[in-house]
Amino acid sequence: MNTITDTNFKFPKQVDVYKGKVREVYRLEDDIMVMVATDRLSAFDVVMPKGIPYKGQILNQIATKMMNDTADIVPNWLLKTPDANVAIGHACEPFKVEMVIRGYMSGHAAREYKAGKRMLCGVPMPEGLKENDKFPTPIITPATKAEMGDHDEDISREDIIKRGIVSETDYKQLEDYTFALFKRGTEIAAKRGLILVDTKYEFGKTKDGKIVLIDEIHTPDSSRYFYADGYEERQEKGEPQKQLSKEFVRQWLISNNFQGLEGQTLPEMTDEYIASVSERYIELYENITGETFVKADITNIQARIENNVLHCLQTL
């Protein structure tokens, strides 16, 4: 099946392009940015060699919906979504940290806890917890934002401010926005019979100095969800939680002896496995949004995107 894993567009008034792990951002004059969600799949900060059909569309459409559903509490960069894989918005200078917030001890936090650590990013984790238990209150565990091919790294609030990565005033605003978004995300998830376990938010500053939400929000790539039904029972029995996230990809890689560490070989992703990942992402979309997924035309994705973006830019 056709996928989009790399782009080389030349839009009118284009200034430069930034290529992240899964998104490509074209900066134009007049402080406009065109963000293309590709079908690349990243896990353990490593980009997989093959794309996942419809993944970019899924992430872009979930992020668009969630930004619209949170715009009343936190301003965001978004102006228009002219294509299934594209968002257009205000150019921003991104903060070089990802605001990771955790309501439950899962994923990376659980792995650190099992290793005996009781501090994560300078934040204490209580004794006596087991994997997937709820924290008494959500905790923010920031990470430095890595370039493609590099690893995100845990960092404390104190180090972020001390090293001048973010000013104390701005960081306080990022914290407030992060808690507010997580609260709203938790409420949205609950209506879908889901638990928002953890997620990350990214922010930037507009040319006017306004802090806004950028990039994706509440997608299965940036978030972990549990099914609420049966959560307590599974915890009492010590059983794994049913979850909606790309953790299933991480677990598949771990089972094939890969965690992105030096000397490890990336396992082959067969066409059959890729198709199953695509189906799983569609399932995630429908569960998170409560809407039926409508597949975009993938006959010629590059031409479709270019035509839709050019038409939209003429209207801005």
Side-chain angles (χ1 to χ4, degrees):
M1 294 185 69
N2 290 340
T3 59
I4 182 166
T5 56
D6 189 40
T7 69
N8 288 288
F9 296 118
K10 293 287 185 285
F11 297 121
K13 299 183 179 180
Q14 184 171 313
V15 176
D16 59 33
V17 58
Y18 164 78
K19 301 200 175 190
K21 290 176 192 136
V22 298
R23 285 174 176 73
E24 306 194 342
V25 182
Y26 292 82
R27 185 185 287 262
L28 314 183
E29 293 176 10
D30 304 320
D31 297 300
I32 296 295
M33 285 171 59
V34 178
M35 182 183 290
V36 181
T38 73
D39 293 324
R40 294 196 295 264
L41 175 64
S42 167
F44 295 117
D45 295 319
V46 175
V47 176
M48 304 296 114
K50 296 180 182 178
I52 306 300
Y54 303 107
K55 178 179 173 288
Q57 176 188 351
I58 287 166
L59 296 191
N60 189 55
Q61 291 184 337
I62 292 176
T64 297
K65 177 177 174 56
M66 293 296 178
M67 284 208 173
N68 290 335
D69 288 347
T70 58
D72 60 315
I73 55 170
V74 176
N76 63 60
W77 77 292
L78 189 62
L79 285 171
K80 294 190 176 183
T81 49
D83 182 90
N85 287 65
V86 178
I88 295 180
H90 299 286
C92 300
E93 186 63 37
F95 287 99
K96 292 183 173 13
V97 293
E98 295 180 343
M99 298 298 285
V100 181
I101 182 167
R102 305 175 185 277
Y104 294 73
M105 196 190 69
S106 301
H108 175 60
R111 289 189 282 271
E112 293 290 283
Y113 200 89
K114 282 181 182 175
K117 297 181 183 177
R118 294 297 179 266
M119 293 281 284
L120 186 60
C121 302
V123 181
M125 296 186 288
E127 290 287 350
L129 294 180
K130 60 180 185 290
E131 186 170 1
N132 300 330
D133 274 352
K134 187 175 184 178
F135 285 122
T137 57
I139 61 173
I140 293 178
T141 58
T144 56
K145 189 167 168 50
E147 301 291 332
M148 186 161 69
D150 293 333
H151 289 273
D152 295 340
E153 293 183 3
D154 291 343
I155 189 170
S156 68
R157 179 191 203 275
E158 291 70 26
D159 280 348
I160 289 171
I161 296 168
K162 183 180 177 182
R163 288 162 54 181
I165 299 172
V166 181
S167 73
E168 187 166 5
T169 301
D170 284 350
Y171 192 81
K172 179 65 169 67
Q173 183 68 80
L174 299 186
E175 283 182 324
D176 290 346
Y177 279 164
T178 297
F179 282 122
L181 287 167
F182 191 69
K183 182 175 184 291
R184 177 64 61 83
T186 298
E187 292 165 355
I188 293 171
K191 292 176 183 175
R192 301 291 316 135
L194 301 172
I195 295 169
L196 180 58
V197 177
D198 52 42
T199 190
K200 71 176 178 68
Y201 303 114
E202 297 185 38
F203 298 92
K205 259 191 184 179
T206 65
K207 64 173 182 177
D208 301 323
K210 183 180 181 181
I211 296 176
V212 297
L213 176 66
I214 62 174
D215 204 38
E216 62 187 339
I217 166 179
H218 299 158
T219 71
D221 266 26
S222 65
S223 315
R224 191 187 322 269
Y225 292 90
F226 290 157
Y227 287 95
D229 186 34
Y231 165 79
E232 295 289 354
E233 185 180 347
R234 284 186 285 273
Q235 279 304 95
E236 287 174 11
K237 292 181 178 178
E239 296 174 353
Q241 288 296 331
K242 285 181 64 181
Q243 60 175 289
L244 284 170
S245 71
K246 69 172 181 180
E247 182 68 18
F248 71 94
V249 174
R250 296 189 194 96
Q251 292 302 324
W252 179 80
L253 289 168
I254 290 171
S255 70
N256 283 276
N257 303 311
F258 184 84
Q259 293 187 61
L261 303 176
E262 192 173 342
Q264 293 183 333
T265 303
L266 196 63
E268 181 191 359
M269 299 180 75
T270 64
D271 290 345
E272 183 180 26
Y273 181 70
I274 287 171
S276 74
V277 174
S278 181
E279 289 167 6
R280 190 74 177 271
Y281 265 92
I282 291 171
E283 176 194 346
L284 298 177
Y285 174 93
E286 295 184 339
N287 277 277
I288 291 168
T289 65
E291 300 171 0
T292 300
F293 181 68
V294 179
K295 295 177 178 179
D297 182 3
I298 59 172
T299 307
N300 189 332
I301 307 173
Q302 300 261 2
R304 187 201 78 205
I305 288 175
E306 188 169 29
N307 290 335
N308 286 337
V309 170
L310 290 175
H311 178 73
C312 180
L313 292 176
Q314 292 172 357
T315 68
L316 292 178

